[in-house]
Amino acid sequence: MDAVIDIALLALLAVTALAILRMRNLFAAVMLSGIYSLLSAGIFTALDAVDVAFTEAAVGAGISTVLMLGTLAIVGHKEKKPAHTPLLPLFVVLVTGGALVYGTLDMPPFGDPTNPVHHHVAPRYVEESGHEIGIPNIVTSVLASYRGYDTMGETTVIFAAAVGVILLLGGARPARVAAGEVSGGSEEGSEPLEEQSHG
Amino acid sequence: MRLLGLYNYWVVIVLMMVGFYTIIARDNLVKKLIGLSIFQTSVFMLYISMGRIHGGTAPILMEGTDVVYSNPLPHVLILTAIVVGVATTAVGLSLVIRINEAYGTVEEDEIHSQDESL
């Protein structure tokens, strides 16, 4: 039963990805990418990764869809038809995909408990975290305690990204818009951007 | 069973290549970012697939000694990666907004032709 759910959801995911690729209306593509995230959250649940599933559902299907929609409100949602033939990209993608498929032939089989990935530190976390940390959720124990430095690094990255977004869209903008007004040119996009900074 | 054992990885590769193709073949910058997030999610799927154990359950401790838990380590790595992925997407979208402001378009070939005509 597990295998059936897995196969069906992964097939749906592949179809959704292809639909996103073919979609010229970016609004529809963004909504499909929300569906894509939700489907992958379902797959993560089926693969026992419940923490990852709800993070993906909240962050992937929620926040990034909202961010993309906010951007589309400013830049417009029509994608132009590509002018050049996609032969070279298609060739690159097929060769890369072929190399990766060749690489998977040596992969240990899916779901086998003797796979190398299950040996090194993972058993220790499973066996010891219960009385070392005292939290039933092993993922939380590893995230917040054993690998707390990783999480601190993650926080640093998010802080850097937030600073980047603020610098790109925040502070510098009023001066720039004012300069545009002084020179008499009404810059395209300045009005919706102001709306966004209020929202 | 051997083929089924690689099915997850192959779908991951298909998704990865769809994302990769979107990034290199489409001119629209927002579309490229959507492709990037497809690529990212496929990598998450690869890691989570490797952490799965047949007959296992979610790594939350339960009563009893004979419970098999799936590997929690990939889950932790991917939790971090999801959040970082959204942060980078946000920066990318801000760059797209600034590019749109400067050039009046988000189509890559139009941006190039504007650069050349300067």
Side-chain angles (χ1 to χ4, degrees), chain A residues 11-55:
Chain A
L12 275 175
L13 201 62
V15 172
T16 314
L18 286 169
I20 292 173
L21 173 63
R22 295 189 57 79
M23 199 66 75
R24 292 242 169 275
N25 185 338
L26 290 174
F27 181 74
V30 167
M31 294 325 284
L32 274 175
S33 79
I35 292 173
Y36 178 87
S37 286
L38 203 61
L39 277 173
S40 43
I43 293 170
F44 292 146
T45 314
L47 295 174
D48 294 341
V50 285
D51 305 79
V52 180
F54 72 68
T55 310

Side-chain angles (χ1 to χ4, degrees), chain A residues 20-26 78-89, chain B residues 21-29 31-32 106-110:
Chain A
I20 292 173
L21 173 63
R22 295 189 57 79
M23 199 66 75
R24 292 242 169 275
N25 185 338
L26 290 174
K78 279 278 178 284
E79 187 191 1
K80 201 166 58 74
K81 220 173 155 57
H84 44 82
T85 49
L87 282 181
L88 180 65
Chain B
Y21 181 81
T22 314
I23 295 169
I24 60 177
R26 292 288 183 257
D27 282 328
N28 190 293
L29 296 176
K31 193 67 172 283
K32 278 177 193 281
V106 291
E107 300 285 342
E108 203 182 17
D109 51 346
E110 291 173 10

Side-chain angles (χ1 to χ4, degrees), chain B residues 3-117:
Chain B
L3 274 184
L4 195 61
L6 293 175
Y7 174 77
N8 272 41
Y9 303 137
W10 287 350
V11 175
V12 163
I13 290 171
V14 169
L15 295 175
M16 210 178 264
M17 289 307 113
V18 170
F20 186 32
Y21 181 81
T22 314
I23 295 169
I24 60 177
R26 292 288 183 257
D27 282 328
N28 190 293
L29 296 176
V30 178
K31 193 67 172 283
K32 278 177 193 281
L33 282 170
I34 296 174
L36 195 64
S37 68
I38 292 178
F39 195 105
Q40 274 175 346
T41 312
S42 77
V43 177
F44 303 159
M45 208 85 60
L46 177 71
Y47 271 65
I48 299 296
S49 297
M50 288 196 285
R52 163 91 169 147
I53 296 177
H54 278 313
T57 180
I60 296 172
L61 296 174
M62 295 192 294
E63 299 292 320
T65 50
D66 56 344
V67 189
V68 178
Y69 300 107
S70 286
N71 192 340
L73 208 50
H75 302 182
V76 177
L77 298 177
I78 296 312
L79 274 182
T80 308
I82 289 177
V83 179
V84 168
V86 168
T88 49
T89 307
V91 176
L93 289 171
S94 331
L95 282 171
V96 169
I97 290 172
R98 287 309 285 253
I99 288 170
N100 183 57
E101 197 184 350
Y103 289 87
T105 177
V106 291
E107 300 285 342
E108 203 182 17
D109 51 346
E110 291 173 10
I111 294 170
H112 280 310
S113 60
Q114 282 191 33
D115 276 345
E116 279 158 17
S117 67

Side-chain angles (χ1 to χ4, degrees), chain A residues 92-111:
Chain A
V92 171
V93 163
L94 286 178
V95 169
T96 317
L100 287 172
V101 168
Y102 177 69
T104 60
L105 297 181
D106 280 340
M107 290 276 283
F110 171 69

